[in-house]
């Protein structure tokens, strides 16, 4: 299928000019993807930008497009036209240790891939996590609910310096038409929006990797894996997911190694979620403020009766105790 015409946005900020003119290819058949992606190997390791678009993307919401950014092209994998067979053809790469997937906040994308296609997203470099670790390296204290948005990351001159006003335009269209990503043929706006969500990720990845310390790289690997499995809870409690990485041997013995992060899933009894969240989220925010943890709620996308806590073991246990206490309050 021929790629539709695409004009990149004006003004690239700090982004390399060649990223603004990458060819964009719409994929409807597995054979249109690079062989080295379809057949990952240790001899030809890859780093790609990655994202997914869909209708209320989660375990139930339809995955419509999967974006893959290579150094020489962006591939828009059309899950609607290509169907399940096309996404399944990508499974070896998405689960491979030899293909690094660079993505900004992978939790819901991973959930959709897991429940809809049986794919366990693996070897992810999550730029949202990397940004927080780099801020921490520089001595900056992150707020308890301070997660960098993708638009914010793109605008940061240290990593890209690229304004992204089109993102708000797409959000407006999504509010007007929740099924926006199901429309076919793909419009120029759809192609532009999907492409711009991955076009700069490899450049951001390169700049972040240059700055991350060995300890931060290990923490990034652990937390990225926890993000991948966060909402993918099932009856076996993540038993089928790859193990978390141990502290690397090459880290010097005199370097302080922080406690490893874990993921805890707290079951909330019927009718108690309101107490856990608090008015306008006040309870959750108070726990985040007093404990060094991330707390994620399934919410409308689900699972609605669980709270997901990510952080160092002691801090997670402390957060669990506080939240359980809230459930007992009258």
């Amino acid at each position: 299928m021929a790629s539709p015409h695409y004009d990149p946005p004006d003004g690239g900020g700090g982004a390399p000019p060649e990223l603004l003119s990458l060819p964009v290819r719409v994929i409807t058949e597995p054979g249109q993807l690079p062989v080295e992606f379809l057949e990952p190997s240790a001899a030809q390791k890859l780093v790609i930008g990655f994202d997914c678009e869909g209708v209320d993307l989660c375990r139930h919401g339809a995955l419509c497009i999967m974006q893959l950014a290579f150094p020489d092209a962006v591939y828009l994998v059309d899950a609607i036209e290509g169907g399940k067979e096309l996404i399944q053809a990508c499974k070896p790469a998405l689960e491979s240790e030899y293909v690094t997937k660079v993505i900004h906040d992978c939790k819901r994308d991973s959930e959709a891939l897991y429940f809809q296609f049986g794919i366990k997203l693996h070897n992810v470099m999550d730029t949202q996590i990397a940004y927080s670790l780099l801020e921490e390296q520089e001595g900056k204290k992150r707020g308890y609910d301070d997660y960098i948005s993708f638009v914010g990351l793109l605008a940061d001159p240290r990593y890209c310096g690229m304004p992204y006003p089109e993102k708000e335009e797409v959000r407006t269209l999504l509010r007007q038409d929740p099924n926006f990503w199901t429309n076919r043929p793909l419009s120029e706006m759809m192609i532009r929006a999907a492409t711009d969500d991955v076009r700069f990720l490899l450049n951001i990845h390169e700049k972040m990797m240059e700055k991350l310390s060995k300890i931060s790289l290990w923490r990034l690997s652990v937390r990225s894996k926890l993000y991948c499995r966060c909402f993918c809870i099932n009856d076996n409690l993540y038993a089928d997911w790859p193990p978390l990485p141990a502290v690397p041997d090459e880290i010097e013995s005199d370097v302080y190694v922080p406690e490893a992060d874990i993921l805890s899933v707290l079951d909330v009894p019927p009718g108690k979620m309101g107490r856990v969240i608090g008015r306008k989220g006040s309870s959750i925010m108070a726990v985040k403020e007093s404990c060094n943890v991330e707390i994620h709620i399934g919410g409308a996308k689900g699972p609605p009766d669980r709270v997901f806590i990510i952080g160092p073991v002691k801090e997670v246990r402390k957060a669990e105790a506080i939240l359980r206490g809230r459930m007992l309050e009258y």
Side-chain angles (χ1 to χ4, degrees):
M1 177 179 180
S3 298
H5 174 71
Y6 169 76
D7 292 318
D10 294 331
E18 61 270 20
L19 294 181
L20 298 172
S21 57
L22 282 177
V24 180
R25 296 167 184 160
V26 178
I27 305 301
T28 57
E29 298 176 4
Q32 296 171 321
L33 286 165
V35 174
E36 61 269 26
F37 174 77
L38 294 173
E39 301 174 6
S41 70
Q44 196 167 8
K45 294 183 179 181
L46 302 175
V47 179
I48 63 170
F50 181 75
D51 192 26
C52 298
E53 308 294 349
V55 179
D56 202 21
L57 195 64
C58 62
R59 65 186 60 201
H60 306 299
L63 189 155
C64 302
I65 298 174
M66 190 167 65
Q67 304 104 289
L68 311 172
F70 286 71
D72 59 350
V74 174
Y75 297 86
L76 304 183
V77 181
D78 192 336
I80 291 181
E81 293 294 327
K84 190 169 185 177
E85 179 185 357
L86 177 58
I87 304 300
Q88 286 296 333
C90 300
K91 180 174 181 175
L94 297 180
E95 294 187 343
S96 175
E97 186 67 31
Y98 306 132
V99 182
T100 300
K101 280 70 67 173
V102 184
I103 182 173
H104 192 82
D105 191 4
C106 66
K107 294 188 292 295
R108 291 298 184 185
D109 305 69
S110 182
E111 180 187 20
L113 288 167
Y114 182 70
F115 285 103
Q116 295 178 37
F117 302 99
I119 295 172
K120 294 186 283 291
L121 190 61
H122 179 59
N123 194 17
V124 158
M125 187 278 197
D126 195 305
T127 55
Q128 187 177 73
I129 301 169
Y131 184 91
S132 295
L133 291 171
L134 285 167
E135 294 292 282
E136 194 175 312
Q137 271 186 205
E138 295 176 8
K140 298 175 185 175
K141 185 172 174 135
R142 193 187 81 175
Y144 58 87
D145 205 26
D146 185 15
Y147 306 108
I148 186 74
S149 69
F150 186 56
V151 173
L153 177 61
L154 284 185
D156 192 320
R158 295 174 297 173
Y159 305 112
C160 189
M162 174 72 190
Y164 194 4
E166 293 86 0
K167 191 71 172 177
E168 187 54 44
E169 187 178 349
V170 174
R171 287 176 180 146
T172 300
L173 290 172
L174 285 169
R175 285 191 291 269
Q176 295 170 350
D177 178 14
N179 295 314
F180 173 76
W181 290 111
T182 66
N183 296 328
R184 294 296 180 275
L186 292 170
S187 67
E188 194 165 314
M189 165 63 81
M190 295 170 77
I191 292 169
R192 184 177 70 183
T195 301
D196 285 345
D197 274 356
V198 295
R199 167 191 305 280
F200 305 105
L201 283 173
L202 293 183
N203 183 56
I204 292 170
H205 169 267
E206 182 179 352
K207 292 183 176 181
M208 286 183 159
M209 293 298 285
E210 289 173 353
K211 297 181 177 185
L212 287 161
S213 67
K214 290 180 182 178
I215 287 289
S216 292
L217 285 170
W218 167 65
R219 295 178 66 196
L220 171 62
S221 178
V222 171
R223 191 164 287 214
S224 291
K225 285 177 170 59
L226 295 177
Y227 264 40
C228 281
R229 68 189 67 185
C230 180
F231 291 130
C232 298
I233 184 74
N234 60 17
D235 293 340
N236 67 18
L237 298 177
Y238 308 116
D240 55 340
W241 286 77
L244 298 176
V247 180
D249 294 333
E250 62 266 23
I251 292 177
E252 295 80 0
S253 58
D254 59 342
V255 173
Y256 169 70
V257 179
E259 193 175 28
D261 286 337
I262 63 168
L263 166 63
S264 174
V265 182
L266 197 61
D267 290 307
V268 180
K272 303 287 187 177
M273 187 60 81
R275 293 179 186 173
V276 169
I277 297 173
R279 182 169 180 171
K280 296 183 178 180
S282 59
S283 177
I284 288 290
M285 286 189 286
V287 177
K288 287 181 180 179
E289 200 168 9
S290 62
C291 306
N292 182 26
V293 295
E294 294 184 26
I295 300 178
H296 303 284
I297 305 293
K301 291 185 177 182
D305 56 350
R306 286 183 165 128
V307 174
F308 302 85
I309 310 169
I310 296 175
V313 178
K314 291 179 182 176
E315 296 297 314
V316 168
R317 299 304 178 222
K318 178 180 170 185
E320 286 176 339
I322 295 172
L323 291 173
R324 286 196 176 100
R326 297 278 163 82
M327 294 180 209
L328 298 174
E329 291 174 0
Y330 289 98

